Amino acid sequence: MTMSPHEIQAYVLTYLEALDCQIMERSPAHVTVKLSPEADKALTNRPYYWGFVERVGAQPETMSFTFVFDPEAYQQIIEAAEAKAKASQPAQASPETNPAAPKETILGRYFGITPSMPQLGPGRILREDVVYGSRRLQQIFAAAREGGAFVNLFEQAAKRQIRATSPAVYEPWLGVCFKVEFACDLKREELHFLGISLRSGEIIEKFGSKLSRRDLSPRLAENMHAQAPKISLVDAGAALESHLTNHLSRLDYSWAEKAKERLQLELDVVDAYYEAVLREDMPEVTEVETAQTKPVANLSKTSISASAHPVINRVRGILEPLPADVELAAESTIQQTQDDVDPEQEKAKQAVIDREAMKLQYENRRTEMIWQYEPKVKVTAISSGMFHLR
């Protein structure tokens, strides 16, 4: 699933206009906008600044951005504007003929005309490329999901209704937009916008088309009366889930059977490879514990009691000088222990470690194949709202 630059621009502009941002400049390739306080809080990540503004009651200064949806087209626009401005600009007089002209500087000679100080603060306009997959677009998606997860809207009445003697009645509706994901090694997504009347229990599919023809506002219109619902939100949500489940149960799931066949083929390949690797001849581990217990056995041959052994006494805190012959005996024992290490035993232990690592790799590979190819259907409620309609 992807989005064209035109679709991204339409989505971003809808978000910015919904948050009352000021559009300063607009073209098919970009839009320059001054953010509203609500949009600035959602997009600029300045919690300390907004905390200060809210504490002292100061007038907030929001940031401005140039969101570029088509970088190549926008660059062509910039180059054309610069060429046009350069062609229309009159030739500047030299400093000798015009004493009021600014003198040429070293930086100006090699790097062009540069401002003496950089432009900082909210007055500057930051440029960001908003293309599919960019960080800023993902942030706008997240902000739109968070801000529009639940809405409460009223249908606006006609002017003749405002002047009517008796108020008109609203019918409460619960609308939920479900995202259905059919996933295996391939993926397909569907959106189902369902609405249910909290008075009669009627369920309407494609509820968005019903709302698109109506003028909705978060403000209750004049001379209008909202009816109390007869069905609770919990029961209404359960009814919508049951309706969607029944719809999904009637679909064709031949794609899932094919996905299972591809999964079995992949698992057969993985099993054949790792079984062949694990069947290879490896050195057997015989008497692994012997190498570990040899130092103890060698020390036990000295037949020295614990109470009379100077080394043990020193460990227990009895500070006694070690005789030279005891130190020489200990050094020879340690050297003998190191010499007695069997290379075959070390090789066998390493083979066991390698075999266990291979088994773990085998299990991880099977888990990855099952996660990738196993068919699954996932349903998520991405947005919902209460809609009071006439």
Side-chain angles (χ1 to χ4, degrees):
M1 182 178 180
T2 184
M3 296 175 67
S4 65
H6 177 71
E7 293 173 335
I8 295 174
Q9 183 180 22
Y11 184 91
V12 173
L13 286 177
T14 301
Y15 174 78
L16 296 176
E17 291 172 356
L19 269 62
D20 296 327
C21 298
Q22 180 184 356
I23 306 296
M24 297 186 293
E25 188 180 53
R26 178 180 174 182
S27 76
H30 83 290
V31 62
T32 301
V33 59
K34 183 174 178 60
L35 300 179
S36 63
E38 184 178 357
D40 193 287
K41 293 178 183 179
L43 300 180
T44 60
N45 191 22
R46 299 192 296 166
Y48 295 109
Y49 171 77
W50 284 106
F52 168 77
V53 169
E54 293 172 357
R55 285 195 304 269
V56 303
Q59 185 69 22
E61 288 289 342
T62 60
M63 299 186 68
S64 300
F65 286 89
T66 294
F67 294 132
V68 180
F69 308 107
D70 191 343
E72 295 181 0
Y74 181 71
Q75 185 63 30
Q76 294 177 1
I77 294 174
I78 294 296
E79 293 175 355
E82 291 178 351
K84 183 178 179 180
K86 186 176 181 180
S88 61
Q89 184 178 5
Q92 295 182 354
S94 61
E96 291 79 5
T97 58
N98 185 9
K103 296 183 179 180
E104 185 181 21
T105 61
I106 298 298
L107 291 177
R109 178 184 303 173
Y110 292 98
F111 301 100
I113 300 175
T114 57
S116 57
M117 291 294 292
Q119 186 178 3
L120 303 175
R124 61 175 178 165
I125 299 178
L126 303 178
R127 171 187 167 174
E128 287 203 16
D129 293 344
V130 182
V131 297
Y132 189 74
S134 63
R135 183 192 64 84
R136 180 63 71 183
L137 184 60
Q138 297 298 327
Q139 187 184 30
I140 293 176
F141 284 159
R145 283 196 299 266
E146 182 179 357
F150 187 85
V151 296
N152 188 22
L153 300 177
F154 300 87
E155 182 181 358
Q156 295 303 292
K159 294 182 179 179
R160 62 177 180 272
Q161 175 59 39
I162 298 176
R163 298 190 297 266
T165 56
S166 59
V169 178
Y170 279 130
E171 181 181 8
W173 289 77
L174 172 65
V176 181
C177 184
F178 294 97
K179 182 176 72 171
V180 182
E181 300 180 27
F182 303 93
C184 53
D185 55 325
L186 305 175
K187 188 175 181 180
R188 181 168 63 90
E189 296 180 349
E190 293 180 356
L191 293 179
H192 296 264
F193 196 3
L194 306 180
I196 180 173
S197 172
L198 299 184
R199 297 284 297 181
S200 62
E202 177 188 3
I203 296 178
I204 296 180
E205 297 183 356
K206 298 182 180 179
F207 189 57
S209 60
K210 181 180 179 67
L211 300 177
S212 61
R213 300 189 299 267
R214 302 170 185 265
D215 183 18
L216 301 175
S217 172
R219 184 179 62 86
L220 178 63
E222 298 180 5
N223 203 20
M224 297 292 294
H225 171 67
Q227 289 180 310
K230 293 183 178 180
I231 303 175
S232 66
L233 292 177
V234 176
D235 295 338
L240 292 180
E241 291 180 3
S242 177
H243 179 85
L244 183 59
T245 302
N246 293 333
H247 170 75
L248 295 178
S249 64
R250 296 191 297 268
L251 298 179
D252 180 17
Y253 288 94
S254 59
W255 63 270
E257 299 298 330
K258 296 179 181 178
K260 290 181 179 179
E261 294 176 0
R262 294 194 297 272
L263 171 61
Q264 189 59 46
L265 290 176
E266 294 293 332
L267 291 179
D268 291 342
V269 173
V270 172
D271 294 343
Y273 171 76
Y274 282 97
E275 287 176 3
V277 172
L278 294 175
R279 278 199 306 267
E280 292 181 355
D281 294 335
M282 291 188 176
E284 297 182 357
V285 181
T286 57
E287 299 180 359
V288 177
E289 294 81 8
T290 305
Q292 300 175 353
T293 57
K294 278 184 178 180
V296 179
N298 293 333
L299 289 177
S300 62
K301 294 179 181 179
T302 57
S303 65
I304 301 177
S305 63
S307 59
H309 202 299
V311 177
I312 299 177
N313 289 338
R314 170 163 293 194
V315 172
R316 290 178 176 178
I318 304 175
L319 300 179
E320 298 179 355
L322 289 176
D325 56 347
V326 175
E327 292 183 355
L328 293 175
E331 291 179 359
S332 61
T333 302
I334 295 174
Q335 184 65 30
Q336 182 181 2
T337 302
Q338 294 177 352
D339 295 339
D340 291 344
V341 175
D342 190 359
E344 295 297 329
Q345 294 294 335
E346 293 295 327
K347 184 178 180 180
K349 288 191 292 183
Q350 185 63 37
V352 172
I353 295 174
D354 295 341
R355 189 181 185 88
E356 293 300 323
M358 185 63 66
K359 288 182 179 180
L360 180 60
Q361 184 181 7
Y362 174 38
E363 295 174 359
N364 292 338
R365 186 60 177 166
R366 283 186 60 90
T367 303
E368 291 175 0
M369 289 293 100
I370 294 174
W371 174 85
Q372 181 179 0
Y373 284 89
E374 188 176 31
K376 59 187 75 71
V377 179
K378 181 180 179 181
V379 180
T380 308
I382 58 176
S383 63
S384 58
M386 283 291 300
F387 303 92
H388 303 270
L389 308 178
R390 296 180 58 189

